[in-house]
PDB file of all heavy atoms in Angstrom:
ATOM      1  N   LEU A  26     -12.541  19.592  16.553  1.00 90.00           N
ATOM      2  CA  LEU A  26     -12.070  20.513  17.585  1.00 90.00           C
ATOM      3  C   LEU A  26     -12.771  21.852  17.413  1.00 90.00           C
ATOM      4  O   LEU A  26     -12.762  22.414  16.317  1.00 90.00           O
ATOM      5  CB  LEU A  26     -10.555  20.695  17.447  1.00 90.00           C
ATOM      6  CG  LEU A  26      -9.743  19.449  17.813  1.00 90.00           C
ATOM      7  CD1 LEU A  26      -8.294  19.614  17.382  1.00 90.00           C
ATOM      8  CD2 LEU A  26      -9.829  19.207  19.313  1.00 90.00           C
ATOM      9  N   ARG A  27     -13.388  22.309  18.482  1.00 87.00           N
ATOM     10  CA  ARG A  27     -14.058  23.618  18.438  1.00 87.00           C
ATOM     11  C   ARG A  27     -13.197  24.633  19.166  1.00 87.00           C
ATOM     12  O   ARG A  27     -12.520  24.302  20.146  1.00 87.00           O
ATOM     13  CB  ARG A  27     -15.416  23.547  19.157  1.00 87.00           C
ATOM     14  CG  ARG A  27     -16.492  22.827  18.390  1.00 87.00           C
ATOM     15  CD  ARG A  27     -17.811  22.919  19.154  1.00 87.00           C
ATOM     16  NE  ARG A  27     -17.672  22.525  20.549  1.00 87.00           N
ATOM     17  CZ  ARG A  27     -17.672  21.267  20.969  1.00 87.00           C
ATOM     18  NH1 ARG A  27     -17.829  20.295  20.104  1.00 87.00           N
ATOM     19  NH2 ARG A  27     -17.524  20.981  22.244  1.00 87.00           N
ATOM     20  N   PRO A  28     -13.249  25.882  18.693  1.00 86.00           N
ATOM     21  CA  PRO A  28     -12.449  26.909  19.399  1.00 86.00           C
ATOM     22  C   PRO A  28     -13.016  27.182  20.787  1.00 86.00           C
ATOM     23  O   PRO A  28     -14.214  27.021  21.008  1.00 86.00           O
ATOM     24  CB  PRO A  28     -12.582  28.142  18.503  1.00 86.00           C
ATOM     25  CG  PRO A  28     -13.727  27.866  17.602  1.00 86.00           C
ATOM     26  CD  PRO A  28     -13.979  26.406  17.547  1.00 86.00           C
ATOM     27  N   ARG A  29     -12.138  27.545  21.706  1.00 89.00           N
ATOM     28  CA  ARG A  29     -12.584  27.956  23.042  1.00 89.00           C
ATOM     29  C   ARG A  29     -11.869  29.256  23.377  1.00 89.00           C
ATOM     30  O   ARG A  29     -10.642  29.290  23.405  1.00 89.00           O
ATOM     31  CB  ARG A  29     -12.231  26.872  24.052  1.00 89.00           C
ATOM     32  CG  ARG A  29     -12.442  27.302  25.482  1.00 89.00           C
ATOM     33  CD  ARG A  29     -12.022  26.232  26.474  1.00 89.00           C
ATOM     34  NE  ARG A  29     -11.860  26.787  27.801  1.00 89.00           N
ATOM     35  CZ  ARG A  29     -11.386  26.106  28.847  1.00 89.00           C
ATOM     36  NH1 ARG A  29     -11.031  24.854  28.708  1.00 89.00           N
ATOM     37  NH2 ARG A  29     -11.264  26.700  30.011  1.00 89.00           N
ATOM     38  N   ALA A  30     -12.645  30.285  23.657  1.00 88.00           N
ATOM     39  CA  ALA A  30     -12.042  31.580  23.967  1.00 88.00           C
ATOM     40  C   ALA A  30     -11.767  31.663  25.467  1.00 88.00           C
ATOM     41  O   ALA A  30     -12.483  31.065  26.268  1.00 88.00           O
ATOM     42  CB  ALA A  30     -13.000  32.690  23.561  1.00 88.00           C
ATOM     43  N   ALA A  31     -10.724  32.415  25.821  1.00 87.00           N
ATOM     44  CA  ALA A  31     -10.448  32.624  27.253  1.00 87.00           C
ATOM     45  C   ALA A  31     -11.624  33.366  27.858  1.00 87.00           C
ATOM     46  O   ALA A  31     -12.173  34.280  27.248  1.00 87.00           O
ATOM     47  CB  ALA A  31      -9.172  33.434  27.413  1.00 87.00           C
ATOM     48  N   GLY A  32     -12.017  32.939  29.044  1.00 81.00           N
ATOM     49  CA  GLY A  32     -13.092  33.643  29.766  1.00 81.00           C
ATOM     50  C   GLY A  32     -14.412  33.644  29.024  1.00 81.00           C
ATOM     51  O   GLY A  32     -15.187  34.593  29.156  1.00 81.00           O
ATOM     52  N   ASP A  33     -14.687  32.603  28.223  1.00 84.00           N
ATOM     53  CA  ASP A  33     -15.978  32.587  27.512  1.00 84.00           C
ATOM     54  C   ASP A  33     -17.123  32.514  28.525  1.00 84.00           C
ATOM     55  O   ASP A  33     -16.935  32.074  29.660  1.00 84.00           O
ATOM     56  CB  ASP A  33     -16.042  31.475  26.461  1.00 84.00           C
ATOM     57  CG  ASP A  33     -15.891  30.089  27.081  1.00 84.00           C
ATOM     58  OD1 ASP A  33     -16.014  29.978  28.300  1.00 84.00           O
ATOM     59  OD2 ASP A  33     -15.637  29.133  26.330  1.00 84.00           O
ATOM     60  N   ALA A  34     -18.298  32.943  28.090  1.00 86.00           N
ATOM     61  CA  ALA A  34     -19.410  33.047  29.041  1.00 86.00           C
ATOM     62  C   ALA A  34     -20.229  31.753  29.099  1.00 86.00           C
ATOM     63  O   ALA A  34     -21.309  31.717  29.694  1.00 86.00           O
ATOM     64  CB  ALA A  34     -20.302  34.214  28.615  1.00 86.00           C
ATOM     65  N   VAL A  35     -19.691  30.688  28.498  1.00 93.00           N
ATOM     66  CA  VAL A  35     -20.433  29.432  28.466  1.00 93.00           C
ATOM     67  C   VAL A  35     -20.577  28.874  29.891  1.00 93.00           C
ATOM     68  O   VAL A  35     -19.645  28.926  30.685  1.00 93.00           O
ATOM     69  CB  VAL A  35     -19.665  28.433  27.567  1.00 93.00           C
ATOM     70  CG1 VAL A  35     -20.145  27.018  27.763  1.00 93.00           C
ATOM     71  CG2 VAL A  35     -19.794  28.848  26.123  1.00 93.00           C
ATOM     72  N   VAL A  36     -21.754  28.349  30.195  1.00 96.00           N
ATOM     73  CA  VAL A  36     -21.948  27.657  31.468  1.00 96.00           C
ATOM     74  C   VAL A  36     -21.444  26.233  31.259  1.00 96.00           C
ATOM     75  O   VAL A  36     -21.958  25.487  30.426  1.00 96.00           O
ATOM     76  CB  VAL A  36     -23.453  27.636  31.866  1.00 96.00           C
ATOM     77  CG1 VAL A  36     -23.631  26.903  33.186  1.00 96.00           C
ATOM     78  CG2 VAL A  36     -23.993  29.057  31.947  1.00 96.00           C
ATOM     79  N   ASP A  37     -20.402  25.870  32.005  1.00 95.00           N
ATOM     80  CA  ASP A  37     -19.689  24.634  31.707  1.00 95.00           C
ATOM     81  C   ASP A  37     -20.198  23.446  32.519  1.00 95.00           C
ATOM     82  O   ASP A  37     -19.874  23.303  33.695  1.00 95.00           O
ATOM     83  CB  ASP A  37     -18.183  24.856  31.983  1.00 95.00           C
ATOM     84  CG  ASP A  37     -17.387  23.593  31.728  1.00 95.00           C
ATOM     85  OD1 ASP A  37     -17.891  22.708  30.990  1.00 95.00           O
ATOM     86  OD2 ASP A  37     -16.270  23.469  32.255  1.00 95.00           O
ATOM     87  N   LEU A  38     -20.986  22.603  31.865  1.00 96.00           N
ATOM     88  CA  LEU A  38     -21.367  21.340  32.485  1.00 96.00           C
ATOM     89  C   LEU A  38     -20.730  20.188  31.707  1.00 96.00           C
ATOM     90  O   LEU A  38     -21.210  19.053  31.727  1.00 96.00           O
ATOM     91  CB  LEU A  38     -22.891  21.163  32.496  1.00 96.00           C
ATOM     92  CG  LEU A  38     -23.737  22.253  33.153  1.00 96.00           C
ATOM     93  CD1 LEU A  38     -25.178  21.794  33.329  1.00 96.00           C
ATOM     94  CD2 LEU A  38     -23.173  22.691  34.479  1.00 96.00           C
ATOM     95  N   ALA A  39     -19.664  20.508  30.981  1.00 94.00           N
ATOM     96  CA  ALA A  39     -18.982  19.491  30.174  1.00 94.00           C
ATOM     97  C   ALA A  39     -17.626  19.138  30.787  1.00 94.00           C
ATOM     98  O   ALA A  39     -17.224  17.981  30.752  1.00 94.00           O
ATOM     99  CB  ALA A  39     -18.786  19.991  28.748  1.00 94.00           C
ATOM    100  N   GLY A  40     -16.936  20.115  31.290  1.00 95.00           N
ATOM    101  CA  GLY A  40     -15.622  19.859  31.905  1.00 95.00           C
ATOM    102  C   GLY A  40     -15.785  19.134  33.235  1.00 95.00           C
ATOM    103  O   GLY A  40     -16.889  18.784  33.622  1.00 95.00           O
ATOM    104  N   ASN A  41     -14.667  18.930  33.913  1.00 95.00           N
ATOM    105  CA  ASN A  41     -14.733  18.149  35.166  1.00 95.00           C
ATOM    106  C   ASN A  41     -14.288  18.952  36.381  1.00 95.00           C
ATOM    107  O   ASN A  41     -13.841  18.407  37.369  1.00 95.00           O
ATOM    108  CB  ASN A  41     -13.826  16.924  35.039  1.00 95.00           C
ATOM    109  CG  ASN A  41     -14.298  15.991  33.931  1.00 95.00           C
ATOM    110  OD1 ASN A  41     -15.339  15.348  34.051  1.00 95.00           O
ATOM    111  ND2 ASN A  41     -13.551  15.951  32.853  1.00 95.00           N
ATOM    112  N   ASP A  42     -14.443  20.272  36.276  1.00 97.00           N
ATOM    113  CA  ASP A  42     -13.997  21.158  37.360  1.00 97.00           C
ATOM    114  C   ASP A  42     -15.084  21.186  38.436  1.00 97.00           C
ATOM    115  O   ASP A  42     -15.716  22.207  38.686  1.00 97.00           O
ATOM    116  CB  ASP A  42     -13.760  22.544  36.731  1.00 97.00           C
ATOM    117  CG  ASP A  42     -13.134  23.527  37.701  1.00 97.00           C
ATOM    118  OD1 ASP A  42     -12.614  23.088  38.739  1.00 97.00           O
ATOM    119  OD2 ASP A  42     -13.164  24.742  37.418  1.00 97.00           O
ATOM    120  N   TYR A  43     -15.301  20.014  39.071  1.00 97.00           N
ATOM    121  CA  TYR A  43     -16.461  19.826  39.953  1.00 97.00           C
ATOM    122  C   TYR A  43     -16.612  20.909  41.011  1.00 97.00           C
ATOM    123  O   TYR A  43     -17.715  21.317  41.348  1.00 97.00           O
ATOM    124  CB  TYR A  43     -16.358  18.479  40.676  1.00 97.00           C
ATOM    125  CG  TYR A  43     -16.464  17.276  39.784  1.00 97.00           C
ATOM    126  CD1 TYR A  43     -15.409  16.386  39.652  1.00 97.00           C
ATOM    127  CD2 TYR A  43     -17.625  17.011  39.070  1.00 97.00           C
ATOM    128  CE1 TYR A  43     -15.505  15.272  38.836  1.00 97.00           C
ATOM    129  CE2 TYR A  43     -17.737  15.905  38.247  1.00 97.00           C
ATOM    130  CZ  TYR A  43     -16.669  15.038  38.144  1.00 97.00           C
ATOM    131  OH  TYR A  43     -16.766  13.934  37.336  1.00 97.00           O
ATOM    132  N   LEU A  44     -15.470  21.331  41.579  1.00 98.00           N
ATOM    133  CA  LEU A  44     -15.548  22.256  42.714  1.00 98.00           C
ATOM    134  C   LEU A  44     -15.211  23.685  42.306  1.00 98.00           C
ATOM    135  O   LEU A  44     -15.133  24.567  43.170  1.00 98.00           O
ATOM    136  CB  LEU A  44     -14.600  21.776  43.825  1.00 98.00           C
ATOM    137  CG  LEU A  44     -14.839  20.354  44.328  1.00 98.00           C
ATOM    138  CD1 LEU A  44     -13.801  19.950  45.358  1.00 98.00           C
ATOM    139  CD2 LEU A  44     -16.252  20.196  44.940  1.00 98.00           C
ATOM    140  N   GLY A  45     -15.000  23.908  41.019  1.00 96.00           N
ATOM    141  CA  GLY A  45     -14.680  25.251  40.558  1.00 96.00           C
ATOM    142  C   GLY A  45     -13.298  25.723  40.991  1.00 96.00           C
ATOM    143  O   GLY A  45     -13.049  26.933  41.090  1.00 96.00           O
ATOM    144  N   LEU A  46     -12.373  24.782  41.215  1.00 98.00           N
ATOM    145  CA  LEU A  46     -11.071  25.179  41.740  1.00 98.00           C
ATOM    146  C   LEU A  46     -10.066  25.570  40.657  1.00 98.00           C
ATOM    147  O   LEU A  46      -9.027  26.171  40.976  1.00 98.00           O
ATOM    148  CB  LEU A  46     -10.487  24.037  42.608  1.00 98.00           C
ATOM    149  CG  LEU A  46     -11.300  23.723  43.873  1.00 98.00           C
ATOM    150  CD1 LEU A  46     -10.661  22.564  44.640  1.00 98.00           C
ATOM    151  CD2 LEU A  46     -11.415  24.947  44.761  1.00 98.00           C
ATOM    152  N   ALA A  47     -10.368  25.272  39.390  1.00 97.00           N
ATOM    153  CA  ALA A  47      -9.405  25.601  38.320  1.00 97.00           C
ATOM    154  C   ALA A  47      -9.100  27.085  38.295  1.00 97.00           C
ATOM    155  O   ALA A  47      -7.977  27.480  37.943  1.00 97.00           O
ATOM    156  CB  ALA A  47      -9.945  25.141  36.959  1.00 97.00           C
ATOM    157  N   THR A  48     -10.065  27.893  38.686  1.00 96.00           N
ATOM    158  CA  THR A  48      -9.876  29.354  38.624  1.00 96.00           C
ATOM    159  C   THR A  48      -9.852  29.989  40.023  1.00 96.00           C
ATOM    160  O   THR A  48      -9.936  31.207  40.141  1.00 96.00           O
ATOM    161  CB  THR A  48     -11.008  30.000  37.798  1.00 96.00           C
ATOM    162  OG1 THR A  48     -12.264  29.515  38.313  1.00 96.00           O
ATOM    163  CG2 THR A  48     -10.897  29.647  36.319  1.00 96.00           C
ATOM    164  N   HIS A  49      -9.780  29.170  41.053  1.00 98.00           N
ATOM    165  CA  HIS A  49      -9.787  29.731  42.417  1.00 98.00           C
ATOM    166  C   HIS A  49      -8.537  30.599  42.606  1.00 98.00           C
ATOM    167  O   HIS A  49      -7.418  30.174  42.289  1.00 98.00           O
ATOM    168  CB  HIS A  49      -9.824  28.597  43.428  1.00 98.00           C
ATOM    169  CG  HIS A  49     -10.115  29.036  44.823  1.00 98.00           C
ATOM    170  ND1 HIS A  49      -9.211  29.751  45.583  1.00 98.00           N
ATOM    171  CD2 HIS A  49     -11.222  28.908  45.591  1.00 98.00           C
ATOM    172  CE1 HIS A  49      -9.736  30.016  46.767  1.00 98.00           C
ATOM    173  NE2 HIS A  49     -10.971  29.527  46.794  1.00 98.00           N
ATOM    174  N   PRO A  50      -8.699  31.806  43.185  1.00 98.00           N
ATOM    175  CA  PRO A  50      -7.527  32.693  43.302  1.00 98.00           C
ATOM    176  C   PRO A  50      -6.365  32.111  44.088  1.00 98.00           C
ATOM    177  O   PRO A  50      -5.218  32.350  43.743  1.00 98.00           O
ATOM    178  CB  PRO A  50      -8.103  33.940  44.016  1.00 98.00           C
ATOM    179  CG  PRO A  50      -9.553  33.708  44.188  1.00 98.00           C
ATOM    180  CD  PRO A  50      -9.951  32.403  43.609  1.00 98.00           C
ATOM    181  N   GLU A  51      -6.641  31.310  45.129  1.00 98.00           N
ATOM    182  CA  GLU A  51      -5.522  30.717  45.886  1.00 98.00           C
ATOM    183  C   GLU A  51      -4.767  29.703  45.043  1.00 98.00           C
ATOM    184  O   GLU A  51      -3.550  29.524  45.171  1.00 98.00           O
ATOM    185  CB  GLU A  51      -6.047  30.015  47.145  1.00 98.00           C
ATOM    186  CG  GLU A  51      -6.408  30.976  48.249  1.00 98.00           C
ATOM    187  CD  GLU A  51      -6.942  30.259  49.487  1.00 98.00           C
ATOM    188  OE1 GLU A  51      -6.422  29.181  49.856  1.00 98.00           O
ATOM    189  OE2 GLU A  51      -7.900  30.787  50.083  1.00 98.00           O
ATOM    190  N   VAL A  52      -5.503  29.028  44.157  1.00 98.00           N
ATOM    191  CA  VAL A  52      -4.887  28.016  43.283  1.00 98.00           C
ATOM    192  C   VAL A  52      -4.023  28.687  42.227  1.00 98.00           C
ATOM    193  O   VAL A  52      -2.850  28.326  42.022  1.00 98.00           O
ATOM    194  CB  VAL A  52      -5.993  27.143  42.642  1.00 98.00           C
ATOM    195  CG1 VAL A  52      -5.409  26.225  41.580  1.00 98.00           C
ATOM    196  CG2 VAL A  52      -6.738  26.358  43.724  1.00 98.00           C
ATOM    197  N   THR A  53      -4.593  29.677  41.568  1.00 98.00           N
ATOM    198  CA  THR A  53      -3.830  30.330  40.497  1.00 98.00           C
ATOM    199  C   THR A  53      -2.650  31.122  41.085  1.00 98.00           C
ATOM    200  O   THR A  53      -1.576  31.187  40.461  1.00 98.00           O
ATOM    201  CB  THR A  53      -4.733  31.232  39.635  1.00 98.00           C
ATOM    202  OG1 THR A  53      -5.477  32.113  40.481  1.00 98.00           O
ATOM    203  CG2 THR A  53      -5.733  30.414  38.822  1.00 98.00           C
ATOM    204  N   ALA A  54      -2.819  31.671  42.295  1.00 98.00           N
ATOM    205  CA  ALA A  54      -1.700  32.405  42.912  1.00 98.00           C
ATOM    206  C   ALA A  54      -0.560  31.438  43.260  1.00 98.00           C
ATOM    207  O   ALA A  54       0.621  31.756  43.027  1.00 98.00           O
ATOM    208  CB  ALA A  54      -2.172  33.160  44.153  1.00 98.00           C
ATOM    209  N   ALA A  55      -0.899  30.271  43.800  1.00 98.00           N
ATOM    210  CA  ALA A  55       0.145  29.288  44.137  1.00 98.00           C
ATOM    211  C   ALA A  55       0.881  28.850  42.871  1.00 98.00           C
ATOM    212  O   ALA A  55       2.118  28.727  42.853  1.00 98.00           O
ATOM    213  CB  ALA A  55      -0.481  28.077  44.846  1.00 98.00           C
ATOM    214  N   ALA A  56       0.114  28.636  41.807  1.00 98.00           N
ATOM    215  CA  ALA A  56       0.733  28.234  40.536  1.00 98.00           C
ATOM    216  C   ALA A  56       1.628  29.347  39.999  1.00 98.00           C
ATOM    217  O   ALA A  56       2.739  29.100  39.509  1.00 98.00           O
ATOM    218  CB  ALA A  56      -0.355  27.860  39.528  1.00 98.00           C
ATOM    219  N   ALA A  57       1.156  30.586  40.128  1.00 98.00           N
ATOM    220  CA  ALA A  57       1.925  31.723  39.598  1.00 98.00           C
ATOM    221  C   ALA A  57       3.254  31.877  40.346  1.00 98.00           C
ATOM    222  O   ALA A  57       4.294  32.154  39.727  1.00 98.00           O
ATOM    223  CB  ALA A  57       1.097  33.006  39.704  1.00 98.00           C
ATOM    224  N   ARG A  58       3.216  31.675  41.664  1.00 98.00           N
ATOM    225  CA  ARG A  58       4.477  31.782  42.442  1.00 98.00           C
ATOM    226  C   ARG A  58       5.464  30.734  41.973  1.00 98.00           C
ATOM    227  O   ARG A  58       6.654  31.029  41.746  1.00 98.00           O
ATOM    228  CB  ARG A  58       4.175  31.607  43.939  1.00 98.00           C
ATOM    229  CG  ARG A  58       3.605  32.851  44.608  1.00 98.00           C
ATOM    230  CD  ARG A  58       3.627  32.731  46.136  1.00 98.00           C
ATOM    231  NE  ARG A  58       2.832  31.607  46.644  1.00 98.00           N
ATOM    232  CZ  ARG A  58       1.514  31.668  46.869  1.00 98.00           C
ATOM    233  NH1 ARG A  58       0.843  32.782  46.647  1.00 98.00           N
ATOM    234  NH2 ARG A  58       0.865  30.608  47.321  1.00 98.00           N
ATOM    235  N   ALA A  59       4.984  29.495  41.795  1.00 98.00           N
ATOM    236  CA  ALA A  59       5.909  28.431  41.358  1.00 98.00           C
ATOM    237  C   ALA A  59       6.352  28.656  39.912  1.00 98.00           C
ATOM    238  O   ALA A  59       7.479  28.321  39.533  1.00 98.00           O
ATOM    239  CB  ALA A  59       5.236  27.069  41.502  1.00 98.00           C
ATOM    240  N   LEU A  60       5.473  29.267  39.124  1.00 98.00           N
ATOM    241  CA  LEU A  60       5.828  29.536  37.723  1.00 98.00           C
ATOM    242  C   LEU A  60       7.015  30.503  37.681  1.00 98.00           C
ATOM    243  O   LEU A  60       7.986  30.288  36.934  1.00 98.00           O
ATOM    244  CB  LEU A  60       4.626  30.141  37.005  1.00 98.00           C
ATOM    245  CG  LEU A  60       4.752  30.400  35.512  1.00 98.00           C
ATOM    246  CD1 LEU A  60       4.886  29.085  34.745  1.00 98.00           C
ATOM    247  CD2 LEU A  60       3.542  31.182  35.003  1.00 98.00           C
TER     248      LEU A  60
END
Side-chain angles (χ1 to χ4, degrees):
L26 291 168
R27 285 185 309 279
R29 170 183 163 186
D33 61 15
V35 165
V36 180
D37 178 20
L38 305 192
N41 297 290
D42 187 15
Y43 293 117
L44 303 176
L46 296 179
T48 51
H49 192 289
E51 283 180 39
V52 172
T53 51
R58 281 193 299 275
L60 185 66

